[in-house]
Amino acid sequence: MCGICGEIRFDDQTASVPAVAKMADAMAPRGPDGAGILARDRVAFGHRRLTIIDLSVRSSQPMTDPDLGLSIVFNGCIYNYPQLRKMLQEKGYRFFSSGDTEVILKAYHAFGPDCVKHFHGMFAFVIHERDTGRVVMARDRFGIKPLYIAEAGKRLRFASSLQALLAAGDVDTSIDPVALNHYMSFHAVVPPPRTIVNGIRKLPPATVRVIDQDGSSREEIYWDIDYARTADDEKTSADEWRDRVLEALRIAVDRRMVADVPVGVLLSGGVDSSVIVALLAQAGQKDLKTFSIGFEDAHGEVGNEYQYSDLIADHFKTDHHKIFIPSSEMIESMPATVAAMPEPMVSYDNVGFFLLSREVAKQIKVVQSGQGADEVFGGYHWYPPMASANDPLAAYSGAFFDRPHTRMLEEVAPAYQADHDAARAFVEAHFAKAGADDPVDKALRLDSTVMLVDDPVKRVDAMTMAWGLEARVPFLDHELCELAARIPPRHKLAQGGKGVLKDVARLLVPNEVIDRKKGYFPVPALKYISGPVLDMVQDVLGSEAARSRGLFQQGYLDKLFADPPAHITPLRGSELWQVALLEMWLQTHEV
C-alpha cells in the first residue's frame, strides 16, 4: 500500500532529511496519494501513501503515538486488524484512527517484537521507540513486502525499493560476485541478505531486527514452515485434504477483501486465479472486476490465453477487461519496466505485469493474484522427478539451475567470479535443514520460502506498485501454507501436479480450465530474440558502458549473438536475454 524509508544515525549527528526526501520522492509511484517525513534528531522516517484502508488523514504516515512514545512507517496490509483492534481495545488501548497502521503500533506496545506473530498479512515496518532510542524493523513471513537496507559507518538507511537507496547516494555500487553467481545459476534468484549491489542488503522474510541506540543489532526468525507429518496426516484421504484446503483457501481469499476501496482479480485463465474468482463469486461479490493481458503471437506461439480467461469471466459474470499489447509497445516499455525493477529480474513476464498493472491501476487500487500456488501445491515440472531422486541436490540443480559453475567460469569475466559455487552451496545447505526429509518437500520448501520470494512475489510487488496498485496473494496465507506442508507429496503430484488444488478447482470451475496444458504468462517476442528485440539487446551489450564494465567474456557473448536460440536454459530461458537484462538494469540504475 505504500513506500517507506528512513535514516538512523548511531553517533551525535542528526539524520539527513534531504536524503530521506530523495528516497521518498523516488518511491512516489508506490504511494501517489500522500507523503510525509518525520525527523527527530538521529532518526528520520519518510513515507509515500496509497490509500486503501482508512482513507482519512488520521492514518497518514509517518505515524506517531505520543502517549506510547512510538513512531512507525509501514508498508502492506494487516488483514486481521479489525480483530486485533478489538482485542487491544479490551486491553485498554484507545485509537485515534480506524486503519491497520495504528493497530501495529498498539500491538507492538502490547507484545513487543512478538507482535508480528499475531499478524495475518503482508508487511514491512520500522518502529522507533522514543524513550530507549531502539529501532525495530520487521518483514512478513513470505517477504511479500520488501525492505532494503544500506549501512555505512554510523548510519543505516532503509527503503521499500533499492532504487530509493541509490537515489539518496553514498552507496557502494560495486557488484557482489556471490550475488552474481546466484543470478547466473539460480535463475536470477539472489537470496537475502544479498543483492547484486555490494552496498545494499535486504531484510530476510519472517525476520525481526532490533537495533539498539549504539548500532548493535540482533535478528530473530519468527516463523518457518515445517513439512513434518503425523501418522494421521499420512493416512488422510485425498478427499479430506481437498475439503481442508478448500476451507482454508476460502478464508484466505476472504481475508484479502478487507479494504475501503474495491478489490479486483488478475485473471490469467489458469487454475489459480480462476479459483480465486470462483470463491469471490460464491461469497456474493457482484460486478467483480477481472483483468487479463495478451501479446502478439510470435514464432508460432500464441501470445495470450484469452480463451480461458474469457471462459471464467463468462461463467462467473465478472466485469472483465482484456488488455492487448502490441510488440512495438512492449519494446518501448522495456526501459520503464527495467527502471521499476528493484533488482535484475529475468522473467519475460515482467513487462507483462508492468503493462497490465498500468491499465488496471486506471480503474482500481487493489487486486488479488494467484502467485504461490505452484510453489505451495507442487505445480512445477521439476517436482515429479524429485520424488524418486537418490540425489535431491543433483536432481533440483539439473532442472532449475541455468548453468553449472564450470560453465560460469568460462562465461563471467574473472574479476566478477565468486570464489566458490555459491548457488549450489546455498541449495545444499537449505536441503540439509531439518523439517523436510522427503526430496519433494525439500524442493517445495526452498521454492516457497526462497525462490518465490525473490522471483514471482518480488516481480508482482515491483510491477504493480510501479503504478500504485496493490496485489494480494491468498495462496501465501501462512495458515493455508502450513496446512499444505502437511499434505503428503503424492497428493500434490497427482494429476500432473497440484493434484489437491485441482480437486478443489473441480468443485468450483469448469474442467476445461483445469485439464489443459499448464500455461505461463506468454510473451513470445522476448522468448525468441529476433528483430527489434535483438537490436535492443545488441545495443545494450555493445554499448560503451557494457564494454567498460566487462562483466562477460567476449567469446561467450560472440557465441550468444551468433545463434541466440541455441543457448537456452533448462527452464527455457534465453541466455542472451539473461545477460542483456542484467547489463540493462545496471545501466538504467547507473550502477
Side-chain angles (χ1 to χ4, degrees):
M1 60 181 273
C2 302
I4 65 173
C5 59
E7 178 173 307
I8 306 154
R9 301 289 316 194
F10 305 111
D11 50 21
D12 58 1
Q13 295 188 40
T14 58
S16 171
V17 172
V20 173
K22 288 179 181 178
M23 290 190 283
D25 288 345
M27 296 186 296
R30 293 186 70 95
D33 298 330
I37 290 179
L38 170 69
R40 185 176 289 122
D41 298 325
R42 65 182 193 87
V43 175
F45 286 171
H47 187 263
R48 295 291 314 201
R49 187 182 184 196
L50 179 66
T51 52
I52 291 172
I53 292 175
D54 186 2
L55 310 186
S56 74
V57 296
R58 292 189 299 274
S59 280
S60 296
Q61 297 185 51
M63 179 181 285
T64 296
D65 188 322
D67 294 335
L68 302 183
L70 299 174
S71 298
I72 186 174
V73 279
F74 156 58
N75 170 31
C77 183
I78 306 300
Y79 303 126
N80 63 329
Y81 84 92
Q83 295 83 3
L84 290 174
R85 178 189 175 99
K86 182 178 179 182
M87 178 186 70
L88 291 164
Q89 285 174 325
E90 291 171 353
K91 288 179 174 289
Y93 288 94
R94 295 177 298 173
F95 287 80
F96 53 79
S97 71
S98 60
D100 52 348
T101 305
E102 190 183 2
V103 169
I104 297 177
L105 269 185
K106 262 65 173 185
Y108 177 80
H109 187 265
F111 305 113
D114 280 348
C115 65
V116 291
K117 299 176 182 178
H118 294 265
F119 298 154
H120 289 282
M122 54 181 185
F123 55 85
F125 64 80
V126 180
I127 290 176
H128 174 232
E129 298 179 2
R130 178 191 61 207
D131 298 336
T132 66
R134 184 179 296 123
V135 171
V136 176
M137 49 181 59
R139 196 172 174 203
D140 66 72
R141 294 167 180 84
F142 284 101
I144 300 167
K145 287 300 171 183
L147 190 59
Y148 291 91
I149 299 167
E151 297 182 75
K154 295 289 186 178
R155 184 197 71 210
L156 179 150
R157 290 174 179 164
F158 66 87
S160 295
S161 75
L162 184 147
Q163 302 97 308
L165 292 170
L166 292 176
D170 195 19
V171 173
D172 176 3
T173 58
S174 62
I175 292 174
D176 182 337
V178 173
L180 179 60
N181 180 282
H182 281 291
Y183 176 87
M184 295 293 289
S185 282
F186 200 10
H187 201 55
V189 175
V190 178
R194 296 181 185 273
T195 75
I196 199 71
V197 176
N198 263 316
I200 298 178
R201 294 296 182 249
K202 52 200 175 194
L203 188 71
T207 299
V208 174
R209 182 177 181 183
V210 179
I211 309 170
D212 292 321
Q213 191 164 356
D214 62 1
S216 61
S217 67
R218 57 197 177 276
E219 290 187 358
E220 177 191 354
I221 298 173
Y222 65 86
W223 180 86
D224 199 2
I225 193 160
D226 189 356
Y227 284 79
R229 298 181 184 89
T230 66
D232 285 343
D233 289 338
E234 291 290 350
K235 66 184 182 183
T236 297
S237 69
D239 286 350
E240 177 64 22
W241 284 122
R242 175 201 64 198
D243 294 343
R244 292 181 188 180
V245 168
L246 174 58
E247 179 58 25
L249 188 54
R250 198 185 302 277
I251 292 170
V253 170
D254 182 64
R255 277 178 178 149
R256 282 152 185 80
M257 290 303 291
V258 59
D260 293 330
V261 295
V263 179
V265 177
L266 301 183
L267 177 60
S268 68
V271 171
D272 314 330
S273 59
S274 298
V275 165
I276 295 172
V277 171
L279 290 173
L280 289 172
Q282 281 194 354
Q285 290 291 325
K286 303 296 184 184
D287 301 318
L288 177 68
K289 288 184 180 292
T290 55
F291 305 86
S292 61
I293 192 169
F295 296 89
E296 288 183 22
D297 300 349
H299 298 270
E301 184 171 326
V302 178
N304 71 82
E305 294 189 330
Y306 287 153
Q307 68 179 102
Y308 299 109
S309 56
D310 286 351
L311 178 65
I312 294 299
D314 292 343
H315 188 81
F316 293 104
K317 304 295 188 291
T318 71
D319 179 9
H320 189 54
H321 303 263
K322 290 193 294 188
I323 299 159
F324 177 77
I325 304 295
S327 293
S328 59
E329 184 176 358
M330 180 199 67
I331 295 170
E332 291 169 3
S333 301
M334 190 56 63
T337 302
V338 175
M341 296 180 183
E343 300 175 66
M345 297 187 287
V346 74
S347 295
Y348 304 128
D349 57 4
N350 278 290
V351 67
F353 275 111
F354 181 80
L355 294 171
L356 175 62
S357 300
R358 181 191 67 186
E359 298 305 312
V360 173
K362 295 174 182 178
Q363 302 190 49
I364 206 165
K365 282 188 173 184
V366 186
V367 290
Q368 295 203 32
S369 187
Q371 278 66 40
D374 287 307
E375 294 84 353
V376 171
F377 288 100
Y380 290 128
H381 66 82
W382 54 88
Y383 298 137
M386 296 291 295
S388 57
N390 293 322
D391 185 344
L393 176 61
Y396 182 88
S397 60
F400 193 87
F401 278 22
D402 291 332
R403 55 182 51 74
H405 188 62
T406 51
R407 260 193 57 205
M408 196 183 313
L409 297 177
E410 300 170 354
E411 297 168 356
V412 175
Y416 296 102
Q417 291 176 5
D419 60 5
H420 66 294
D421 190 350
R424 187 179 179 88
F426 176 87
V427 173
E428 183 176 23
H430 203 280
F431 276 11
K433 289 169 52 179
D437 297 329
D438 185 282
V440 175
D441 290 336
K442 292 179 186 294
L444 289 170
R445 182 178 63 179
L446 175 69
D447 287 354
S448 61
T449 61
V450 179
M451 182 272 281
L452 177 71
V453 174
D454 271 291
D455 187 3
V457 163
K458 179 169 65 183
R459 181 191 327 148
V460 172
D461 178 79
M463 297 303 123
T464 55
M465 292 303 290
W467 299 101
L469 177 68
E470 179 176 287
R472 299 175 175 181
V473 280
F475 285 104
L476 294 186
D477 183 278
H478 74 272
E479 290 183 346
L480 172 66
C481 294
E482 289 167 349
L483 172 67
R486 292 167 46 203
I487 302 173
R490 65 182 182 276
H491 296 307
K492 295 172 184 169
L493 300 183
Q495 305 179 55
K498 288 194 295 195
V500 175
L501 188 58
K502 288 178 180 177
D503 285 341
V504 169
R506 293 188 196 284
L507 302 177
L508 300 169
V509 302
N511 284 334
E512 297 95 310
V513 170
I514 303 167
D515 295 323
R516 70 185 181 93
K517 182 181 178 181
K518 179 176 174 57
Y520 294 92
F521 217 91
V523 192
L526 291 182
K527 186 175 180 180
Y528 305 99
I529 296 182
S530 62
V533 177
L534 180 58
D535 293 341
M536 176 179 64
V537 166
Q538 288 173 326
D539 288 344
V540 169
L541 291 173
S543 66
E544 175 59 33
R547 291 197 302 271
S548 175
R549 196 187 325 274
L551 261 181
F552 304 103
Q553 298 188 34
Q554 189 59 47
Y556 174 54
L557 295 178
D558 291 342
K559 286 195 298 184
L560 294 183
F561 280 119
D563 190 4
H567 301 278
I568 302 296
T569 70
L571 291 180
R572 307 307 300 162
S574 164
E575 290 186 33
L576 181 56
W577 179 250
Q578 183 182 41
V579 300
L581 186 281
L582 174 58
E583 181 60 43
M584 196 183 309
W585 187 91
L586 293 169
Q587 291 182 26
T588 298
H589 298 286
E590 300 181 356
V591 172

